[in-house]
PDB file of all heavy atoms in Angstrom:
ATOM      1  N   LEU A   1      -7.814  11.186 -13.409  1.00  0.00           N
ATOM      2  CA  LEU A   1      -8.105  10.493 -12.186  1.00  0.00           C
ATOM      3  C   LEU A   1      -8.056   8.992 -12.287  1.00  0.00           C
ATOM      4  O   LEU A   1      -7.491   8.162 -11.471  1.00  0.00           O
ATOM      5  CB  LEU A   1      -9.359  10.986 -11.581  1.00  0.00           C
ATOM      6  CG  LEU A   1      -9.319  12.463 -11.042  1.00  0.00           C
ATOM      7  CD1 LEU A   1     -10.677  12.835 -10.542  1.00  0.00           C
ATOM      8  CD2 LEU A   1      -8.328  12.716  -9.977  1.00  0.00           C
ATOM      9  N   LEU A   2      -8.703   8.520 -13.383  1.00  0.00           N
ATOM     10  CA  LEU A   2      -8.774   7.045 -13.630  1.00  0.00           C
ATOM     11  C   LEU A   2      -7.419   6.554 -13.961  1.00  0.00           C
ATOM     12  O   LEU A   2      -7.012   5.398 -13.634  1.00  0.00           O
ATOM     13  CB  LEU A   2      -9.762   6.843 -14.865  1.00  0.00           C
ATOM     14  CG  LEU A   2     -11.196   7.021 -14.520  1.00  0.00           C
ATOM     15  CD1 LEU A   2     -12.113   7.024 -15.774  1.00  0.00           C
ATOM     16  CD2 LEU A   2     -11.744   5.898 -13.629  1.00  0.00           C
ATOM     17  N   HIS A   3      -6.657   7.322 -14.731  1.00  0.00           N
ATOM     18  CA  HIS A   3      -5.255   6.934 -15.094  1.00  0.00           C
ATOM     19  C   HIS A   3      -4.458   6.781 -13.788  1.00  0.00           C
ATOM     20  O   HIS A   3      -3.662   5.825 -13.627  1.00  0.00           O
ATOM     21  CB  HIS A   3      -4.681   8.030 -15.882  1.00  0.00           C
ATOM     22  CG  HIS A   3      -3.201   7.861 -16.115  1.00  0.00           C
ATOM     23  ND1 HIS A   3      -2.611   7.217 -17.141  1.00  0.00           N
ATOM     24  CD2 HIS A   3      -2.103   8.419 -15.416  1.00  0.00           C
ATOM     25  CE1 HIS A   3      -1.297   7.228 -17.048  1.00  0.00           C
ATOM     26  NE2 HIS A   3      -0.984   7.994 -16.103  1.00  0.00           N
ATOM     27  N   VAL A   4      -4.529   7.702 -12.850  1.00  0.00           N
ATOM     28  CA  VAL A   4      -3.741   7.662 -11.693  1.00  0.00           C
ATOM     29  C   VAL A   4      -4.190   6.393 -10.852  1.00  0.00           C
ATOM     30  O   VAL A   4      -3.329   5.704 -10.295  1.00  0.00           O
ATOM     31  CB  VAL A   4      -3.969   9.011 -10.884  1.00  0.00           C
ATOM     32  CG1 VAL A   4      -3.352   8.812  -9.490  1.00  0.00           C
ATOM     33  CG2 VAL A   4      -3.278  10.200 -11.596  1.00  0.00           C
ATOM     34  N   ALA A   5      -5.522   6.209 -10.742  1.00  0.00           N
ATOM     35  CA  ALA A   5      -5.873   5.085  -9.909  1.00  0.00           C
ATOM     36  C   ALA A   5      -5.464   3.755 -10.536  1.00  0.00           C
ATOM     37  O   ALA A   5      -5.056   2.844  -9.790  1.00  0.00           O
ATOM     38  CB  ALA A   5      -7.413   5.051  -9.865  1.00  0.00           C
ATOM     39  N   GLY A   6      -5.426   3.691 -11.867  1.00  0.00           N
ATOM     40  CA  GLY A   6      -4.995   2.475 -12.454  1.00  0.00           C
ATOM     41  C   GLY A   6      -3.516   2.273 -12.332  1.00  0.00           C
ATOM     42  O   GLY A   6      -3.022   1.185 -12.046  1.00  0.00           O
ATOM     43  N   ALA A   7      -2.644   3.392 -12.418  1.00  0.00           N
ATOM     44  CA  ALA A   7      -1.266   3.291 -12.282  1.00  0.00           C
ATOM     45  C   ALA A   7      -0.899   2.873 -10.773  1.00  0.00           C
ATOM     46  O   ALA A   7       0.064   2.026 -10.584  1.00  0.00           O
ATOM     47  CB  ALA A   7      -0.592   4.624 -12.521  1.00  0.00           C
ATOM     48  N   LEU A   8      -1.562   3.345  -9.863  1.00  0.00           N
ATOM     49  CA  LEU A   8      -1.354   3.024  -8.445  1.00  0.00           C
ATOM     50  C   LEU A   8      -1.746   1.530  -8.100  1.00  0.00           C
ATOM     51  O   LEU A   8      -1.066   0.805  -7.553  1.00  0.00           O
ATOM     52  CB  LEU A   8      -2.060   3.920  -7.492  1.00  0.00           C
ATOM     53  CG  LEU A   8      -1.590   5.354  -7.447  1.00  0.00           C
ATOM     54  CD1 LEU A   8      -2.498   6.282  -6.535  1.00  0.00           C
ATOM     55  CD2 LEU A   8      -0.176   5.516  -6.965  1.00  0.00           C
ATOM     56  N   SER A   9      -2.965   1.215  -8.562  1.00  0.00           N
ATOM     57  CA  SER A   9      -3.488  -0.151  -8.365  1.00  0.00           C
ATOM     58  C   SER A   9      -2.660  -1.243  -8.977  1.00  0.00           C
ATOM     59  O   SER A   9      -2.413  -2.266  -8.368  1.00  0.00           O
ATOM     60  CB  SER A   9      -4.988  -0.190  -8.945  1.00  0.00           C
ATOM     61  OG  SER A   9      -5.437  -1.489  -8.657  1.00  0.00           O
ATOM     62  N   ASP A  10      -2.048  -0.925 -10.172  1.00  0.00           N
ATOM     63  CA  ASP A  10      -1.255  -1.937 -10.843  1.00  0.00           C
ATOM     64  C   ASP A  10       0.089  -2.167 -10.147  1.00  0.00           C
ATOM     65  O   ASP A  10       0.823  -3.161 -10.451  1.00  0.00           O
ATOM     66  CB  ASP A  10      -0.986  -1.541 -12.266  1.00  0.00           C
ATOM     67  CG  ASP A  10      -2.230  -1.630 -13.132  1.00  0.00           C
ATOM     68  OD1 ASP A  10      -3.162  -2.266 -12.825  1.00  0.00           O
ATOM     69  OD2 ASP A  10      -2.176  -0.980 -14.284  1.00  0.00           O
ATOM     70  N   ASN A  11       0.377  -1.406  -9.207  1.00  0.00           N
ATOM     71  CA  ASN A  11       1.784  -1.568  -8.540  1.00  0.00           C
ATOM     72  C   ASN A  11       1.628  -1.749  -7.078  1.00  0.00           C
ATOM     73  O   ASN A  11       2.546  -1.429  -6.342  1.00  0.00           O
ATOM     74  CB  ASN A  11       2.593  -0.191  -8.834  1.00  0.00           C
ATOM     75  CG  ASN A  11       3.113  -0.144 -10.239  1.00  0.00           C
ATOM     76  OD1 ASN A  11       4.039  -0.619 -10.645  1.00  0.00           O
ATOM     77  ND2 ASN A  11       2.349   0.624 -11.075  1.00  0.00           N
ATOM     78  N   LEU A  12       0.479  -2.225  -6.622  1.00  0.00           N
ATOM     79  CA  LEU A  12       0.264  -2.569  -5.210  1.00  0.00           C
ATOM     80  C   LEU A  12       0.086  -4.053  -5.047  1.00  0.00           C
ATOM     81  O   LEU A  12      -0.323  -4.690  -5.900  1.00  0.00           O
ATOM     82  CB  LEU A  12      -0.927  -1.831  -4.667  1.00  0.00           C
ATOM     83  CG  LEU A  12      -0.894  -0.391  -4.655  1.00  0.00           C
ATOM     84  CD1 LEU A  12      -2.167   0.279  -4.219  1.00  0.00           C
ATOM     85  CD2 LEU A  12       0.325   0.115  -3.591  1.00  0.00           C
ATOM     86  N   ARG A  13       0.378  -4.516  -3.731  1.00  0.00           N
ATOM     87  CA  ARG A  13       0.091  -5.883  -3.450  1.00  0.00           C
ATOM     88  C   ARG A  13      -1.364  -6.041  -3.058  1.00  0.00           C
ATOM     89  O   ARG A  13      -2.131  -5.126  -2.731  1.00  0.00           O
ATOM     90  CB  ARG A  13       0.973  -6.246  -2.153  1.00  0.00           C
ATOM     91  CG  ARG A  13       2.496  -6.095  -2.356  1.00  0.00           C
ATOM     92  CD  ARG A  13       3.226  -6.074  -1.169  1.00  0.00           C
ATOM     93  NE  ARG A  13       2.805  -5.035  -0.180  1.00  0.00           N
ATOM     94  CZ  ARG A  13       3.270  -4.853   1.038  1.00  0.00           C
ATOM     95  NH1 ARG A  13       4.192  -5.722   1.523  1.00  0.00           N
ATOM     96  NH2 ARG A  13       2.833  -3.894   1.839  1.00  0.00           N
ATOM     97  N   GLU A  14      -1.840  -7.278  -2.940  1.00  0.00           N
ATOM     98  CA  GLU A  14      -3.145  -7.638  -2.532  1.00  0.00           C
ATOM     99  C   GLU A  14      -3.375  -7.180  -1.111  1.00  0.00           C
ATOM    100  O   GLU A  14      -4.494  -6.801  -0.743  1.00  0.00           O
ATOM    101  CB  GLU A  14      -3.479  -9.065  -2.755  1.00  0.00           C
ATOM    102  CG  GLU A  14      -3.628  -9.506  -4.104  1.00  0.00           C
ATOM    103  CD  GLU A  14      -4.201 -10.941  -4.290  1.00  0.00           C
ATOM    104  OE1 GLU A  14      -4.519 -11.524  -3.096  1.00  0.00           O
ATOM    105  OE2 GLU A  14      -4.245 -11.485  -5.417  1.00  0.00           O
ATOM    106  N   SER A  15      -2.315  -7.154  -0.288  1.00  0.00           N
ATOM    107  CA  SER A  15      -2.487  -6.835   1.174  1.00  0.00           C
ATOM    108  C   SER A  15      -2.537  -5.307   1.325  1.00  0.00           C
ATOM    109  O   SER A  15      -2.887  -4.791   2.423  1.00  0.00           O
ATOM    110  CB  SER A  15      -1.321  -7.370   1.915  1.00  0.00           C
ATOM    111  OG  SER A  15      -0.111  -6.859   1.477  1.00  0.00           O
ATOM    112  N   ASP A  16      -2.271  -4.475   0.261  1.00  0.00           N
ATOM    113  CA  ASP A  16      -2.272  -3.048   0.405  1.00  0.00           C
ATOM    114  C   ASP A  16      -3.750  -2.515   0.104  1.00  0.00           C
ATOM    115  O   ASP A  16      -4.571  -3.262  -0.498  1.00  0.00           O
ATOM    116  CB  ASP A  16      -1.329  -2.389  -0.580  1.00  0.00           C
ATOM    117  CG  ASP A  16       0.202  -2.825  -0.222  1.00  0.00           C
ATOM    118  OD1 ASP A  16       0.516  -3.051   0.879  1.00  0.00           O
ATOM    119  OD2 ASP A  16       0.917  -3.002  -1.276  1.00  0.00           O
ATOM    120  N   MET A  17      -3.999  -1.278   0.389  1.00  0.00           N
ATOM    121  CA  MET A  17      -5.280  -0.754  -0.034  1.00  0.00           C
ATOM    122  C   MET A  17      -5.168   0.630  -0.632  1.00  0.00           C
ATOM    123  O   MET A  17      -4.413   1.496  -0.059  1.00  0.00           O
ATOM    124  CB  MET A  17      -6.264  -0.666   1.283  1.00  0.00           C
ATOM    125  CG  MET A  17      -7.496  -0.118   1.040  1.00  0.00           C
ATOM    126  SD  MET A  17      -8.632  -0.044   2.419  1.00  0.00           S
ATOM    127  CE  MET A  17     -10.180   0.534   1.660  1.00  0.00           C
ATOM    128  N   LEU A  18      -5.822   0.908  -1.726  1.00  0.00           N
ATOM    129  CA  LEU A  18      -5.789   2.136  -2.377  1.00  0.00           C
ATOM    130  C   LEU A  18      -7.334   2.832  -2.209  1.00  0.00           C
ATOM    131  O   LEU A  18      -8.242   2.120  -2.369  1.00  0.00           O
ATOM    132  CB  LEU A  18      -5.610   1.909  -3.948  1.00  0.00           C
ATOM    133  CG  LEU A  18      -5.839   3.153  -4.896  1.00  0.00           C
ATOM    134  CD1 LEU A  18      -4.936   4.330  -4.499  1.00  0.00           C
ATOM    135  CD2 LEU A  18      -5.692   2.728  -6.260  1.00  0.00           C
ATOM    136  N   GLY A  19      -7.232   4.129  -2.018  1.00  0.00           N
ATOM    137  CA  GLY A  19      -8.589   4.749  -1.894  1.00  0.00           C
ATOM    138  C   GLY A  19      -8.464   6.228  -2.414  1.00  0.00           C
ATOM    139  O   GLY A  19      -7.324   6.728  -2.465  1.00  0.00           O
ATOM    140  N   ARG A  20      -9.525   6.714  -2.889  1.00  0.00           N
ATOM    141  CA  ARG A  20      -9.670   8.100  -3.301  1.00  0.00           C
ATOM    142  C   ARG A  20     -10.139   8.850  -2.097  1.00  0.00           C
ATOM    143  O   ARG A  20     -11.256   8.692  -1.576  1.00  0.00           O
ATOM    144  CB  ARG A  20     -10.531   8.284  -4.467  1.00  0.00           C
ATOM    145  CG  ARG A  20     -10.567   9.678  -4.985  1.00  0.00           C
ATOM    146  CD  ARG A  20     -11.504   9.935  -6.189  1.00  0.00           C
ATOM    147  NE  ARG A  20     -11.593  11.307  -6.578  1.00  0.00           N
ATOM    148  CZ  ARG A  20     -12.527  11.846  -7.335  1.00  0.00           C
ATOM    149  NH1 ARG A  20     -13.547  10.955  -7.572  1.00  0.00           N
ATOM    150  NH2 ARG A  20     -12.555  13.085  -7.649  1.00  0.00           N
ATOM    151  N   LEU A  21      -9.353   9.936  -1.739  1.00  0.00           N
ATOM    152  CA  LEU A  21      -9.707  10.576  -0.475  1.00  0.00           C
ATOM    153  C   LEU A  21     -10.517  11.859  -0.740  1.00  0.00           C
ATOM    154  O   LEU A  21     -10.960  12.514   0.163  1.00  0.00           O
ATOM    155  CB  LEU A  21      -8.357  11.019   0.296  1.00  0.00           C
ATOM    156  CG  LEU A  21      -7.513   9.787   0.566  1.00  0.00           C
ATOM    157  CD1 LEU A  21      -6.239  10.342   1.281  1.00  0.00           C
ATOM    158  CD2 LEU A  21      -8.285   8.776   1.474  1.00  0.00           C
ATOM    159  N   GLY A  22     -10.729  12.104  -1.992  1.00  0.00           N
ATOM    160  CA  GLY A  22     -11.499  13.256  -2.465  1.00  0.00           C
ATOM    161  C   GLY A  22     -10.704  14.166  -3.435  1.00  0.00           C
ATOM    162  O   GLY A  22      -9.490  14.244  -3.325  1.00  0.00           O
ATOM    163  N   GLY A  23     -11.487  14.703  -4.407  1.00  0.00           N
ATOM    164  CA  GLY A  23     -10.803  15.568  -5.347  1.00  0.00           C
ATOM    165  C   GLY A  23      -9.638  14.904  -6.112  1.00  0.00           C
ATOM    166  O   GLY A  23      -9.845  13.829  -6.734  1.00  0.00           O
ATOM    167  N   ASP A  24      -8.479  15.441  -6.008  1.00  0.00           N
ATOM    168  CA  ASP A  24      -7.327  14.853  -6.685  1.00  0.00           C
ATOM    169  C   ASP A  24      -6.371  14.238  -5.692  1.00  0.00           C
ATOM    170  O   ASP A  24      -5.176  14.125  -5.903  1.00  0.00           O
ATOM    171  CB  ASP A  24      -6.566  15.867  -7.506  1.00  0.00           C
ATOM    172  CG  ASP A  24      -6.083  16.990  -6.610  1.00  0.00           C
ATOM    173  OD1 ASP A  24      -6.507  17.203  -5.425  1.00  0.00           O
ATOM    174  OD2 ASP A  24      -5.228  17.860  -7.205  1.00  0.00           O
ATOM    175  N   GLU A  25      -6.930  13.700  -4.520  1.00  0.00           N
ATOM    176  CA  GLU A  25      -6.084  13.139  -3.594  1.00  0.00           C
ATOM    177  C   GLU A  25      -6.339  11.634  -3.366  1.00  0.00           C
ATOM    178  O   GLU A  25      -7.559  11.245  -3.476  1.00  0.00           O
ATOM    179  CB  GLU A  25      -6.347  13.874  -2.261  1.00  0.00           C
ATOM    180  CG  GLU A  25      -5.992  15.256  -2.188  1.00  0.00           C
ATOM    181  CD  GLU A  25      -6.351  15.946  -0.947  1.00  0.00           C
ATOM    182  OE1 GLU A  25      -7.210  15.495  -0.213  1.00  0.00           O
ATOM    183  OE2 GLU A  25      -5.863  17.047  -0.685  1.00  0.00           O
ATOM    184  N   PHE A  26      -5.333  10.852  -3.275  1.00  0.00           N
ATOM    185  CA  PHE A  26      -5.422   9.476  -3.158  1.00  0.00           C
ATOM    186  C   PHE A  26      -4.530   8.949  -1.901  1.00  0.00           C
ATOM    187  O   PHE A  26      -3.577   9.593  -1.619  1.00  0.00           O
ATOM    188  CB  PHE A  26      -4.802   8.709  -4.357  1.00  0.00           C
ATOM    189  CG  PHE A  26      -5.676   8.862  -5.551  1.00  0.00           C
ATOM    190  CD1 PHE A  26      -5.523  10.082  -6.362  1.00  0.00           C
ATOM    191  CD2 PHE A  26      -6.613   7.935  -6.031  1.00  0.00           C
ATOM    192  CE1 PHE A  26      -6.262  10.311  -7.567  1.00  0.00           C
ATOM    193  CE2 PHE A  26      -7.386   8.169  -7.113  1.00  0.00           C
ATOM    194  CZ  PHE A  26      -7.213   9.285  -7.993  1.00  0.00           C
ATOM    195  N   GLY A  27      -4.978   7.834  -1.347  1.00  0.00           N
ATOM    196  CA  GLY A  27      -4.333   7.307  -0.153  1.00  0.00           C
ATOM    197  C   GLY A  27      -3.887   5.895  -0.421  1.00  0.00           C
ATOM    198  O   GLY A  27      -4.701   5.144  -1.084  1.00  0.00           O
ATOM    199  N   VAL A  28      -2.788   5.413   0.017  1.00  0.00           N
ATOM    200  CA  VAL A  28      -2.407   3.938   0.007  1.00  0.00           C
ATOM    201  C   VAL A  28      -1.956   3.510   1.335  1.00  0.00           C
ATOM    202  O   VAL A  28      -1.085   4.111   1.905  1.00  0.00           O
ATOM    203  CB  VAL A  28      -1.125   3.831  -1.088  1.00  0.00           C
ATOM    204  CG1 VAL A  28      -0.748   2.420  -0.922  1.00  0.00           C
ATOM    205  CG2 VAL A  28      -1.633   4.285  -2.521  1.00  0.00           C
ATOM    206  N   ILE A  29      -2.533   2.435   1.744  1.00  0.00           N
ATOM    207  CA  ILE A  29      -2.110   1.757   3.041  1.00  0.00           C
ATOM    208  C   ILE A  29      -1.157   0.658   2.629  1.00  0.00           C
ATOM    209  O   ILE A  29      -1.560  -0.222   1.945  1.00  0.00           O
ATOM    210  CB  ILE A  29      -3.325   1.287   3.775  1.00  0.00           C
ATOM    211  CG1 ILE A  29      -4.274   2.400   4.239  1.00  0.00           C
ATOM    212  CG2 ILE A  29      -2.858   0.452   5.027  1.00  0.00           C
ATOM    213  CD1 ILE A  29      -5.571   1.848   4.895  1.00  0.00           C
ATOM    214  N   LEU A  30       0.115   0.736   3.118  1.00  0.00           N
ATOM    215  CA  LEU A  30       1.093  -0.311   2.910  1.00  0.00           C
ATOM    216  C   LEU A  30       1.211  -1.139   4.079  1.00  0.00           C
ATOM    217  O   LEU A  30       1.772  -0.713   5.083  1.00  0.00           O
ATOM    218  CB  LEU A  30       2.416   0.406   2.569  1.00  0.00           C
ATOM    219  CG  LEU A  30       2.409   1.296   1.274  1.00  0.00           C
ATOM    220  CD1 LEU A  30       3.740   1.991   1.225  1.00  0.00           C
ATOM    221  CD2 LEU A  30       2.078   0.470  -0.060  1.00  0.00           C
ATOM    222  N   SER A  31       0.709  -2.435   4.136  1.00  0.00           N
ATOM    223  CA  SER A  31       0.751  -3.239   5.198  1.00  0.00           C
ATOM    224  C   SER A  31       2.077  -3.808   5.457  1.00  0.00           C
ATOM    225  O   SER A  31       2.831  -4.039   4.464  1.00  0.00           O
ATOM    226  CB  SER A  31      -0.260  -4.388   5.142  1.00  0.00           C
ATOM    227  OG  SER A  31       0.133  -5.229   3.923  1.00  0.00           O
ATOM    228  N   HIS A  32       2.458  -4.044   6.709  1.00  0.00           N
ATOM    229  CA  HIS A  32       3.831  -4.581   7.067  1.00  0.00           C
ATOM    230  C   HIS A  32       4.976  -3.837   6.327  1.00  0.00           C
ATOM    231  O   HIS A  32       5.815  -4.526   5.815  1.00  0.00           O
ATOM    232  CB  HIS A  32       3.768  -6.094   6.717  1.00  0.00           C
ATOM    233  CG  HIS A  32       2.790  -6.854   7.335  1.00  0.00           C
ATOM    234  ND1 HIS A  32       2.730  -7.087   8.746  1.00  0.00           N
ATOM    235  CD2 HIS A  32       1.561  -7.367   6.955  1.00  0.00           C
ATOM    236  CE1 HIS A  32       1.700  -7.860   9.164  1.00  0.00           C
ATOM    237  NE2 HIS A  32       0.961  -7.922   7.998  1.00  0.00           N
ATOM    238  N   THR A  33       4.895  -2.612   6.320  1.00  0.00           N
ATOM    239  CA  THR A  33       5.852  -1.653   5.710  1.00  0.00           C
ATOM    240  C   THR A  33       6.335  -0.604   6.573  1.00  0.00           C
ATOM    241  O   THR A  33       5.524   0.184   7.146  1.00  0.00           O
ATOM    242  CB  THR A  33       5.225  -1.086   4.418  1.00  0.00           C
ATOM    243  OG1 THR A  33       4.760  -2.196   3.503  1.00  0.00           O
ATOM    244  CG2 THR A  33       6.313  -0.280   3.636  1.00  0.00           C
ATOM    245  N   ASP A  34       7.643  -0.566   6.849  1.00  0.00           N
ATOM    246  CA  ASP A  34       8.106   0.506   7.765  1.00  0.00           C
ATOM    247  C   ASP A  34       8.495   1.799   6.945  1.00  0.00           C
ATOM    248  O   ASP A  34       8.193   1.945   5.806  1.00  0.00           O
ATOM    249  CB  ASP A  34       9.419   0.055   8.426  1.00  0.00           C
ATOM    250  CG  ASP A  34      10.656  -0.308   7.606  1.00  0.00           C
ATOM    251  OD1 ASP A  34      10.617   0.251   6.374  1.00  0.00           O
ATOM    252  OD2 ASP A  34      11.451  -1.114   7.921  1.00  0.00           O
TER     253      ASP A  34
END
């Protein structure tokens, strides 16, 4: 889980948001992205 969080975080912009939704689920908000 820590590995996944790191991989996602390293590839996001400051304007995006990463969160753990529970268990093995993660969410990413991509701002200004269609």
Side-chain angles (χ1 to χ4, degrees):
L1 294 173
L2 289 165
H3 168 89
V4 171
L8 293 174
S9 181
D10 288 345
N11 288 276
L12 294 175
R13 303 166 298 180
E14 287 188 7
S15 58
D16 300 328
M17 181 177 182
L18 168 65
R20 185 183 176 201
L21 305 180
D24 60 347
E25 298 173 340
F26 294 82
V28 174
I29 298 172
L30 299 172
S31 63
H32 302 285
T33 304
D34 62 25

